[in-house]
Amino acid sequence: MKPILIIGCSNAKGSTARKAIDLYEGAMYQLIRANIENVTESFDVLILSAKHGLIEADQVIAHYDTELPKRTDVGQVSAFVAQHKAKAQSLLKEKCIPGREVFIVLSNGYLNAFDNLICSVGAKRALSKCVVYASRDHRGIGILRGRLKRILLTQGLQAKPPILFRSGVANTDEMLGYLSSGQAIGSSIAYVSDTLKPHLFRYIKDALARGQKVFLDNGMITCLNSGNEFLSHSAIETYRRIISELKPSQSRNLSIVIPDSRDAEEALAIVKMHKKSIKWLARRCRLILPVHRTQEVISDHAANMMSAIDFAPVTLGIPCRKQIKTSAGLLDLRLTIPEIESLFELKNPRTKQLVFRDVHFLALSEVTPGTVYAERMLLARLHSISVSADACRTTAIFGNEATSNRVGSVELRRLDKEIMRANVFNSSNFRDHDVGCEHDSPMVLELLHDAIEGNVFNFVETWNNTVHPAWAMDVTGLNECESREHASIILCSIPPGAFDEILEAFKKMHWHKFCFSSHRPSSFEKRTESITRIFGRGRRIPVQLNMAL
């Protein structure tokens, strides 16, 4: 489905009535025609007209001289909105199909009018289900034109798939599951390092050597959640020690996070304090610089930190967690799309080159609720930014094993039966149970006789679907008692040679009768296999088991 492109009208117009997209001749329309042959073939274009309100591109209109009220003229803006909001909201509700991309590229005055036009709950709800990019906080027409050009030129292009780290890994079952399924894994030096759970760190080193991507967070969120003090020098020392243990081919596959703070002054002080180590780490691995919202302009804050480390080649880290609980209350961490875009557009004042070429979205995955993930992927695509992201998926897929309908819990219940059945089939008491055992201690025969006494007709149907046709039972025309007698006679008249095959078939059908507690899989076994299946989608990478010392 074509994306929606919402643009404003222009003062420059043709003199005769024609389709709206052809009538307007302003700078933005000249830009469109210079970069795309027929914009309506690639986009469903809507135009915000000062005279007609929100209209479709193919609506035929005549020349007019009406101008949109200035943002400061609240009364006139309110009158414009009152006149056109019903039509605009109806049009958007019709066009806004869930998941559809919507690009809003309007000057600040037109953007203000548009925001007021869609103020109804219904219109906002319809737009919220789409993947929306709105150019906001642009400083001048040049930036707006540049953003529109990016939209036109990137339409239809496939972005490089993001690297999605399955983070929060702190146990062997999770580590094995994600590695076996070929996933990029993520953890934190608060959980795993060369000194914390070193057997898990050995898995990380092996994964890096195989070319798998690994992400190690600095543990700040863990400290905040637990109410402990976060020590930046400790994190830096741990990172340096880890990188020193790795070969260059391993460290290039490792992403780590510079110690950070939500306080601008403290964050700047941290990078200044560790400047030498940060530049050393940046030459050896993928180093992520988190940029948090502060009281100052966020792009200025990022520029100050980058200047402090001489614009070393680091990856931009974007917080995406909605909120975290701290001793001081709830903290809102998620950066908005305009804030992120201002960071994507940040330039080195000396070289005039873009500062960031790739981005890591912290606490974001493809199943983050709503359109948060899709909108950030869209923004990165527009700016040709390479993307990685990390989020803890394990807690999201597992609930109560007995009652939860989460995908992991459902898989655990399925595996409990599947693995236990396989263990029974491989057990000696199942394999060795033959006709001789049945004579000494009948188990399967008793089950078959019980089935005959219980519901003979169900038994006959199951029997005939299981055994060779030569031993099929025909109870057509027989009543229940006659059918029981006939079935019992057939069952007792089968010779030992033929009964071997029948016994094997009904042993498998009633395998649970051979089950002991030792056949039940462990929680570790089930969780590891569940993660492998859910994320592996049929592929499986062998991983050598490392034992904890």
Side-chain angles (χ1 to χ4, degrees):
M1 179 177 295
K2 292 188 294 186
I4 298 171
L5 175 61
I6 301 176
I7 53 178
C9 65
S10 70
N11 288 329
K13 305 176 186 69
S15 58
T16 58
R18 66 195 74 170
K19 291 180 179 180
I21 192 65
D22 299 323
L23 178 72
Y24 297 111
E25 298 174 347
M28 298 293 276
Y29 289 85
Q30 293 177 30
L31 174 70
I32 290 172
R33 291 170 189 134
N35 287 279
I36 191 167
E37 186 173 349
N38 188 344
V39 67
T40 55
E41 288 184 0
S42 301
F43 296 88
D44 191 353
V45 181
L46 303 180
I47 299 172
L48 184 55
S49 162
K51 179 178 176 64
H52 303 286
L54 192 64
I55 60 175
E56 297 191 63
D58 61 358
Q59 180 175 330
V60 176
I61 57 176
H63 180 95
Y64 61 88
D65 293 321
T66 307
E67 293 185 0
L68 191 74
K70 295 184 180 299
R71 282 181 292 170
T72 53
D73 194 337
V74 178
Q76 288 298 315
V77 170
S78 296
F80 173 85
V81 169
Q83 181 182 358
H84 297 293
K85 69 178 181 180
K87 177 185 174 184
Q89 292 172 6
S90 175
L91 184 58
L92 283 174
K93 289 178 184 177
E94 173 193 338
K95 299 285 186 180
C96 288
I97 298 169
R100 192 176 191 184
E101 291 182 353
V102 179
F103 298 97
I104 303 170
V105 190
L106 298 167
S107 62
N108 290 323
Y110 279 75
L111 187 58
N112 174 66
F114 180 81
D115 287 340
N116 282 279
L117 283 173
I118 61 166
C119 61
S120 75
V121 173
K124 287 182 177 179
R125 184 184 297 117
L127 202 59
S128 69
K129 294 178 181 178
C130 295
V131 181
V132 179
Y133 166 81
S135 176
R136 296 186 182 275
D137 300 335
H138 41 264
R139 304 172 184 175
I141 190 65
I143 292 177
L144 189 65
R145 283 167 56 88
R147 292 176 178 178
L148 176 58
K149 185 174 181 178
R150 276 196 292 272
I151 293 169
L152 299 174
L153 296 181
T154 57
Q155 176 55 27
L157 298 179
Q158 292 295 319
K160 182 181 178 182
I163 299 171
L164 299 178
F165 294 97
R166 310 307 182 183
S167 65
V169 174
N171 300 302
T172 305
D173 52 6
E174 297 170 3
M175 184 73 76
L176 284 175
Y178 288 121
L179 289 177
S180 297
S181 59
Q183 298 296 298
I185 60 167
S187 188
S188 166
I189 56 174
Y191 306 143
V192 178
S193 72
D194 54 338
T195 56
L196 290 174
K197 298 184 180 180
H199 70 290
L200 294 184
F201 183 66
R202 290 200 297 273
Y203 284 118
I204 287 176
K205 293 177 69 175
D206 291 343
L208 292 170
R210 289 194 304 270
Q212 284 182 265
K213 304 295 184 182
V214 176
F215 166 82
L216 278 179
D217 201 358
N218 59 39
M220 184 189 79
I221 298 298
T222 303
C223 287
L224 289 176
N225 287 339
S226 60
N228 296 326
E229 183 183 5
F230 176 67
L231 302 175
S232 64
H233 68 272
S234 177
I236 288 291
E237 287 173 7
T238 300
Y239 281 144
R240 287 192 67 117
R241 197 170 59 247
I242 287 173
I243 296 298
S244 296
E245 291 185 23
L246 300 177
K247 297 177 181 178
S249 59
Q250 293 174 309
S251 62
R252 283 193 292 269
N253 292 318
L254 178 64
S255 297
I256 62 175
V257 184
I258 295 173
D260 55 316
S261 170
R262 293 190 74 252
D263 179 81
E265 290 186 6
E266 185 176 358
L268 183 58
I270 288 172
V271 295
K272 285 181 176 179
M273 182 191 314
H274 302 295
K275 174 181 177 179
K276 184 177 179 180
S277 291
I278 288 172
K279 295 177 72 171
W280 184 87
L281 290 166
R283 291 193 299 270
R284 290 162 174 80
C285 66
R286 184 169 180 259
L287 190 58
I288 298 168
L289 173 68
V291 179
H292 293 276
R293 181 184 297 114
T294 65
Q295 295 299 316
E296 63 180 303
V297 176
I298 195 167
S299 57
D300 293 343
H301 171 50
N304 290 337
M305 287 197 293
M306 289 300 297
S307 178
I309 56 174
D310 299 331
F311 291 91
V314 298
T315 296
L316 172 63
I318 300 292
C320 297
R321 188 188 296 269
K322 180 60 179 173
Q323 291 177 327
I324 61 168
K325 290 182 180 180
T326 70
S327 57
L330 290 176
L331 289 178
D332 186 5
L333 299 182
R334 181 180 294 165
L335 298 191
T336 65
I337 292 296
E339 287 173 329
I340 298 170
E341 186 159 39
S342 71
L343 297 173
F344 284 179
E345 294 175 336
L346 183 64
K347 292 185 178 181
N348 183 325
R350 182 173 59 82
T351 66
K352 307 303 180 184
Q353 298 297 310
L354 292 172
V355 172
F356 301 111
R357 297 293 183 178
D358 64 337
V359 64
H360 181 88
F361 292 109
L362 297 149
L364 181 73
S365 80
E366 74 276 31
V367 295
T368 298
T371 58
V372 176
Y373 174 83
E375 288 179 350
R376 280 149 185 76
M377 294 302 112
L378 174 59
L379 184 65
R381 188 189 82 200
L382 292 179
H383 289 269
S384 301
I385 297 281
S386 298
V387 176
S388 66
D390 81 283
C392 181
R393 292 293 314 280
T394 313
T395 54
I397 63 174
F398 289 114
N400 183 285
E401 181 178 344
T403 60
S404 174
N405 288 323
R406 293 184 183 181
V407 61
S409 300
V410 172
E411 190 64 34
L412 286 176
R413 293 194 291 271
R414 183 185 298 115
L415 281 168
D416 188 70
K417 181 177 180 180
E418 179 185 322
I419 297 174
M420 186 161 55
R421 183 174 183 269
N423 289 342
V424 168
F425 281 14
N426 291 325
S427 65
S428 59
N429 66 309
F430 180 86
R431 291 196 312 267
D432 298 342
H433 189 89
D434 56 14
V435 174
C437 296
E438 279 293 304
H439 284 305
D440 296 335
S441 179
M443 180 185 294
V444 176
L445 278 171
E446 283 189 0
L447 291 169
L448 297 179
H449 282 296
D450 289 345
I452 290 173
E453 292 300 317
N455 188 322
V456 65
F457 298 112
N458 285 347
F459 167 79
V460 169
E461 182 180 0
T462 301
W463 175 274
N464 289 342
N465 289 332
T466 305
V467 305
H468 191 278
W471 296 103
M473 297 180 184
D474 184 4
V475 294
T476 305
L478 301 181
N479 61 31
E480 189 171 352
C481 289
E482 292 169 337
S483 297
R484 286 198 184 105
E485 183 178 0
H486 177 72
S488 297
I489 292 171
I490 293 293
L491 184 59
C492 294
S493 64
I494 299 173
F499 191 69
D500 284 339
E501 182 179 342
I502 293 172
L503 177 62
E504 287 302 313
F506 280 96
K507 272 171 57 179
K508 292 177 180 177
M509 187 176 296
H510 297 283
W511 62 270
H512 54 280
K513 292 295 182 179
F514 298 85
C515 185
F516 296 99
S517 59
S518 59
H519 297 134
R520 186 171 292 279
S522 66
S523 175
F524 169 83
E525 188 177 7
K526 289 188 295 183
R527 281 174 61 87
T528 299
E529 182 63 19
S530 292
I531 293 171
T532 300
R533 292 190 182 186
I534 291 168
F535 291 94
R537 296 182 176 88
R539 66 174 175 170
R540 186 182 298 268
I541 297 174
V543 180
Q544 184 176 351
L545 185 63
N546 292 325
M547 302 302 294
L549 299 177

